[in-house]
Amino acid sequence: MAKKISRNTFLTENSPSISAFASITGEKEGSGPIGSCFDRVEKDSHFGQDSWEKAESELQKQTVELAIKKAGLKSADIDCIFSGDLINQCMGTTYGLRDLNIPFLGIYGACSTMAEGLLLATLLTDSGLGEHIAAATSSHFSTAERQFRFPLSYGGQRTPSAQWTCTASGAVILSPQGGAPYIKAVSIGNITDLGITDANNMGAAMAPAAASTIKNYLSDTGLTPDDFDVIVTGDLGTVGSQLLKELLLKDNIDISVQHRDCGAIIFDSEEQDTHAGGSGCGCSASVLCGYFLPKVQTGEIKEMIFAATGALMSPTASQQGESIPSISHLIHISYKI
Amino acid sequence: MAKKISRNTFLTENSPSISAFASITGEKEGSGPIGSCFDRVEKDSHFGQDSWEKAESELQKQTVELAIKKAGLKSADIDCIFSGDLINQCMGTTYGLRDLNIPFLGIYGACSTMAEGLLLATLLTDSGLGEHIAAATSSHFSTAERQFRFPLSYGGQRTPSAQWTCTASGAVILSPQGGAPYIKAVSIGNITDLGITDANNMGAAMAPAAASTIKNYLSDTGLTPDDFDVIVTGDLGTVGSQLLKELLLKDNIDISVQHRDCGAIIFDSEEQDTHAGGSGCGCSASVLCGYFLPKVQTGEIKEMIFAATGALMSPTASQQGESIPSISHLIHISYKI
């Protein structure tokens, strides 16, 4: 049973194992600097479907099925699944998972969804409430761009701080027993809003949430950045990453050596014209499952923080002049049990 | 620590107490047959705000604050809160709760949200992971109707099977110790889709999910409808309620004596022109917190099932000809510890 050591942070008692993980992306993500790490790169951005939303559903379904297969299990072996996505009413998730017949708990954390699902799956697994609990999420460039910004065919100019929504999905299976990676601790985020109103600068909106969650976690545990090989954020991109480091430096926390951002890693901004980097629920989910977890599995990375961030905005809120609330949940992942 | 007795169902070990609960509704709900049971009925449907979405945020915020106050606590005493709503990107929730500074876990279960939040809060509380865990949700007629159906000023004709989205919110606080009501068990739902495509007949879309979850729970526990004073569904309305009873009768389960539906209770359909009844996340949440939980607190109701249902559809999916997947999570609430 996990131990609550502060208002936000829980240390696990039995270090649940991420017993399987899978990632599938679109072709642009597969052509990026870390493209070879994903389990599968799909050339058909429609994933064989006749709408973008159905394409995202298919992407998430295939990724969850692949994680289950890699665990040597069947859908019927999964106790329950936590998932959500960015499309209105989480359509990518509900339509993607409806045929799998797995007890389903829908979550909404925008681009923090992978961390939120991992967090809840960790608390249930560590409390002995499941043998195989799954967490997943997805995003698709074509569903997100047209919902949050402009019609795809409009071809609007993108600002330098804009990010590129990844067509990608990641899924994990948590188990009480199994090999590395292990989850040592989780920390729930609080909603943070410093007044950013620019929907084309979500990195800046989300950086304060990541800074707050990372700072709280280090303070709660007495750990320092030097205790980690990497401190990974979700999709702050280049603009938000710089801001995160500056914010933490004000509290004398220097993560410049350890910090990596999934949104900054997944694309070559210059070559791929992605401006400030990748974004979307599937960005951090696929980079976690494709790039980082295999390195923890082999011991190349021994201790890591995964702090995905979510911009909890909606186009309606932006049109009403509202600022963008954000949240960041944190997972401490380790090579050692 | 809860005990998992089937793939879906968990019995609680320590019977967490619903130590406080609150409900606030709009004027139409307050003028209905059970209007006097709500903690507060607000005459201003804008809740002092300048948009419907901000009104819903304010409604949810005030309801959560009231539940916290009724528990004799402050925001800073709440370990974490599970909440979500129907507006795109759960705007009612994220903007409503951002100032409360409570560790936040966003959920999406459409109109099953209150049951999903209660379920997760129960599992964490029963595992010793919090002293005061909150669950909340809300809906607003004017945010939901214009998002899911037609512009408010269009004045479209409504079908006989259509339901009326409630302007309402409910919030609960769960604690390891406290008086009745107690939570004895919870059951996670699976996504169910029997092919209903009519967004104006959501009761019919959701009834199979409720039937499946109730049937599984009775089978998992060996209990029968006669073991309960009431078996409460969320917002099936009159059409969906009839279908639910017919579906369960096929399995020789007769709930006709015990069944109540929050959507069928909250309005007088004839007098208030609400057709098949109320709907929306706030419908079952406010009726649970305003009407049912006080009766369990006094022992007038000794054993009850609360099985809220959610239609996991989106306007985009409906426009693409998709059917409506649904889900129902179940909470067994008792007067006895």
Side-chain angles (χ1 to χ4, degrees):
Chain A
M1 197 160 79
K3 186 180 171 193
K4 191 171 194 292
I5 63 165
S6 76
R7 194 175 181 208
N8 300 78
T9 298
F10 303 80
L11 305 183
T12 59
E13 182 185 3
N14 303 305
S15 302
S17 159
I18 305 180
S19 56
F21 41 91
S23 57
I24 299 178
T25 71
E27 195 169 18
K28 189 178 179 91
E29 294 71 20
S31 309
I34 61 165
S36 62
C37 77
F38 303 116
D39 287 307
R40 193 156 72 74
V41 174
E42 173 60 54
K43 288 192 188 307
D44 172 18
S45 58
H46 276 93
F47 286 79
Q49 304 299 308
D50 60 6
S51 80
W52 296 120
E53 288 75 18
K54 291 180 189 177
E56 183 174 337
S57 295
E58 184 63 24
L59 162 62
Q60 184 174 142
K61 180 187 179 188
Q62 289 184 12
T63 310
V64 170
E65 287 180 328
L66 182 57
I68 293 171
K69 187 181 170 193
K70 286 175 79 176
L73 300 171
K74 293 180 176 167
S75 290
D77 300 317
I78 305 301
D79 293 281
C80 64
I81 184 164
F82 290 95
S83 187
D85 62 81
L86 285 168
I87 318 182
N88 296 343
Q89 290 79 51
C90 297
M91 184 180 161
T93 299
T94 53
Y95 286 83
L97 302 182
R98 68 176 160 179
D99 293 333
L100 300 186
N101 201 31
I102 300 171
F104 170 70
L105 292 155
I107 54 178
Y108 187 77
C111 302
S112 74
T113 300
M114 192 71 221
E116 183 182 343
L118 263 169
L119 186 155
L120 286 165
T122 296
L123 293 180
L124 295 200
T125 302
D126 203 44
S127 295
L129 300 178
E131 291 298 310
H132 307 293
I133 298 182
T137 189
S138 61
S139 55
H140 193 296
F141 176 80
S142 302
T143 60
E145 288 298 313
R146 71 175 178 178
Q147 178 179 284
F148 285 104
R149 295 177 190 91
F150 298 107
L152 292 170
S153 43
Y154 173 70
Q157 192 87 351
R158 299 168 63 249
T159 67
S161 61
Q163 295 178 233
W164 187 280
T165 307
C166 294
T167 299
S169 175
V172 301
I173 315 285
L174 251 68
S175 306
Q177 273 93 38
Y182 300 103
I183 298 186
K184 308 298 284 185
V186 298
S187 199
I188 306 174
N190 292 31
I191 299 173
T192 306
D193 189 337
L194 261 61
I196 300 284
T197 55
D198 181 0
N200 286 309
N201 195 358
M202 293 202 298
M206 296 191 290
S212 165
T213 296
I214 292 169
K215 179 187 161 194
N216 283 345
Y217 182 67
L218 296 176
S219 164
D220 289 343
T221 56
L223 296 169
T224 70
D226 290 339
D227 291 312
F228 295 92
D229 300 303
V230 289
I231 294 175
V232 179
T233 48
D235 53 355
L236 298 179
T238 51
V239 176
S241 291
Q242 185 58 33
L243 185 56
L244 168 69
K245 285 181 272 192
E246 287 170 14
L247 284 168
L248 285 174
L249 266 181
K250 286 185 184 171
D251 289 303
N252 295 314
I253 299 170
D254 183 357
I255 62 164
S256 55
V257 175
Q258 294 85 6
H259 182 250
R260 306 283 184 283
D261 181 73
C262 299
I265 290 171
I266 195 165
F267 294 123
D268 180 326
S269 295
E270 302 267 316
E271 287 285 321
Q272 297 185 285
D273 191 32
T274 51
H275 296 221
S279 66
C281 301
C283 175
S284 64
S286 64
V287 175
L288 175 73
C289 295
Y291 185 76
F292 286 109
L293 291 182
K295 292 187 196 299
V296 184
Q297 197 171 34
T298 61
E300 183 182 337
I301 293 174
K302 292 202 167 47
E303 301 289 337
M304 80 174 267
I305 278 175
F306 175 65
T309 48
L312 302 170
M313 41 87 82
S314 80
T316 307
S318 295
Q319 286 158 11
Q320 293 178 6
E322 267 291 359
S323 55
I324 302 175
S326 295
I327 197 158
S328 175
H329 303 294
L330 182 149
I331 317 290
H332 178 165
I333 303 170
S334 175
Y335 172 62
K336 296 169 294 185
I337 200 161
Chain B
M1 197 161 78
K3 185 180 171 194
K4 192 173 194 293
I5 61 163
S6 75
R7 195 176 181 206
N8 299 78
T9 299
F10 304 80
L11 306 183
T12 59
E13 182 185 2
N14 303 306
S15 303
S17 160
I18 304 179
S19 56
F21 42 90
S23 56
I24 299 178
T25 72
E27 196 169 17
K28 188 179 180 88
E29 293 72 21
S31 309
I34 60 166
S36 63
C37 77
F38 303 116
D39 287 308
R40 194 156 73 74
V41 174
E42 173 59 55
K43 288 193 188 304
D44 173 18
S45 59
H46 276 94
F47 285 79
Q49 305 298 309
D50 61 6
S51 78
W52 297 120
E53 288 74 19
K54 291 180 189 177
E56 183 174 337
S57 295
E58 184 65 24
L59 162 63
Q60 184 174 144
K61 181 186 179 189
Q62 289 184 11
T63 310
V64 170
E65 287 180 328
L66 182 57
I68 293 170
K69 187 181 170 194
K70 286 176 78 176
L73 301 171
K74 294 180 175 167
S75 290
D77 300 317
I78 305 300
D79 293 281
C80 64
I81 183 165
F82 290 95
S83 187
D85 62 80
L86 284 167
I87 319 182
N88 296 343
Q89 291 77 53
C90 297
M91 182 181 163
T93 300
T94 53
Y95 286 84
L97 302 183
R98 68 177 161 181
D99 293 333
L100 300 186
N101 200 31
I102 300 171
F104 170 70
L105 292 155
I107 55 177
Y108 186 76
C111 302
S112 75
T113 300
M114 193 71 220
E116 184 181 344
L118 262 170
L119 187 155
L120 287 164
T122 296
L123 293 180
L124 295 199
T125 302
D126 203 44
S127 296
L129 299 178
E131 291 298 309
H132 307 292
I133 298 182
T137 189
S138 61
S139 55
H140 193 296
F141 176 81
S142 302
T143 60
E145 289 299 313
R146 71 175 178 177
Q147 178 181 284
F148 285 103
R149 293 176 193 92
F150 298 107
L152 292 170
S153 43
Y154 173 69
Q157 192 88 349
R158 299 169 63 247
T159 66
S161 60
Q163 295 177 233
W164 187 280
T165 307
C166 295
T167 299
S169 175
V172 301
I173 315 286
L174 251 68
S175 306
Q177 273 94 37
Y182 300 103
I183 299 186
K184 307 299 283 184
V186 298
S187 198
I188 306 174
N190 291 32
I191 299 174
T192 305
D193 190 337
L194 261 60
I196 299 285
T197 55
D198 181 0
N200 286 310
N201 194 357
M202 294 202 299
M206 297 191 290
S212 165
T213 296
I214 292 169
K215 180 188 159 190
N216 283 345
Y217 182 67
L218 296 178
S219 165
D220 288 345
T221 55
L223 296 169
T224 70
D226 290 339
D227 291 313
F228 296 92
D229 300 303
V230 288
I231 295 175
V232 178
T233 49
D235 54 354
L236 297 179
T238 51
V239 176
S241 290
Q242 185 58 32
L243 185 55
L244 167 68
K245 285 181 271 192
E246 287 169 14
L247 285 169
L248 285 174
L249 266 183
K250 287 184 183 171
D251 289 304
N252 295 314
I253 300 170
D254 183 357
I255 62 164
S256 54
V257 174
Q258 294 85 8
H259 182 251
R260 305 283 185 283
D261 182 72
C262 300
I265 289 171
I266 196 166
F267 294 123
D268 180 327
S269 295
E270 302 268 316
E271 287 284 322
Q272 296 184 287
D273 190 31
T274 51
H275 296 220
S279 66
C281 300
C283 175
S284 65
S286 64
V287 175
L288 175 73
C289 295
Y291 184 75
F292 286 108
L293 291 183
K295 292 187 196 299
V296 184
Q297 197 170 35
T298 60
E300 183 182 337
I301 292 174
K302 292 199 166 50
E303 301 289 337
M304 80 175 265
I305 278 175
F306 175 65
T309 49
L312 303 170
M313 42 86 81
S314 81
T316 306
S318 295
Q319 286 158 11
Q320 293 177 7
E322 267 291 358
S323 55
I324 303 174
S326 295
I327 197 159
S328 175
H329 302 294
L330 181 150
I331 316 291
H332 177 165
I333 303 171
S334 175
Y335 172 63
K336 296 170 293 186
I337 198 159

